[in-house]
Amino acid sequence: MRMKTLPLLIVCVGILRATVAQMSGDTGTTTRREKEEAVAEALVRQRIEGLAKAVSAKDIDQVSSFYAPDIVSFDLDPLLRYAGADKKRRAWQEFFAVHTGSVAYELREVNVTAQGDLAFVHSLNHVSGTLANGRTSDLWVRWTACLRRIDGVWLVVHDHVSVPADIEHGKAVLNLTP
């Protein structure tokens, strides 16, 4: 973590604690576990937002830094699953290669739950950009991720990206929006 962001993070955690206490009617009896979970959830949110920024910047090294070496990923494109950070990296490289222009990657309705060294995240993600063939891609996907704190850093150990499907016709439904 960069030293510049540490004071901001401390302020954010303090605000988060106060907000959680106020919303729950807490009179100062917040348990240590609840405080640790609130801090962990804030750190996971920060990591996920960093991942979104790295994708928008098409920064493959930064994107790769968010994944554990043994990640298992269920992504949109074939294979049925990717196992290992090298395969996940290649999937992102291929994604960046088909987008000749900029990529917009926005997270919506982010939900984070953390306990101990594990966290669970789900969100709706808007992905858009210009493809190599000149067409514009504009797609909402469902994203679920499991993160584990490894050596003090929250890393994605599993993720799942999907779009709804029209089972009767065997086709993906790509025009839905939140």
Side-chain angles (χ1 to χ4, degrees), residues 75 77 82 86-96:
D75 216 331
D77 52 339
Y82 299 110
D86 57 330
K87 291 190 174 104
K88 185 66 175 179
R89 181 183 177 96
R90 276 196 294 273
W92 276 115
Q93 286 173 319
E94 291 171 12
F95 174 83
F96 293 148

Side-chain angles (χ1 to χ4, degrees), residues 2-35:
R2 286 185 233 136
M3 291 308 292
K4 291 182 200 172
T5 61
L6 188 57
L8 177 60
L9 177 60
I10 291 169
V11 169
C12 290
V13 168
I15 292 169
L16 177 63
R17 284 181 182 167
T19 303
V20 168
Q22 183 180 17
M23 290 173 60
S24 66
D26 189 351
T27 59
T29 60
T30 304
T31 67
R32 179 180 176 160
R33 182 175 151 212
E34 290 170 329
K35 290 176 185 177

Side-chain angles (χ1 to χ4, degrees), residues 143-154:
W143 184 63
T144 304
C146 298
L147 292 88
R148 186 171 23 152
R149 189 173 13 212
I150 301 171
D151 296 328
V153 179
W154 288 99

Side-chain angles (χ1 to χ4, degrees), residues 1 5-6 9-10 13 16 36-50 66 112 114 119 147 149 152-154:
M1 178 182 315
T5 61
L6 188 57
L9 177 60
I10 291 169
V13 168
L16 177 63
E36 288 172 355
E37 288 173 4
V39 169
E41 287 177 17
L43 291 170
V44 168
R45 275 186 191 280
Q46 185 179 43
R47 289 288 289 169
I48 298 309
E49 290 167 5
F66 290 91
V112 177
L147 292 88
R149 189 173 13 212
V153 179
W154 288 99

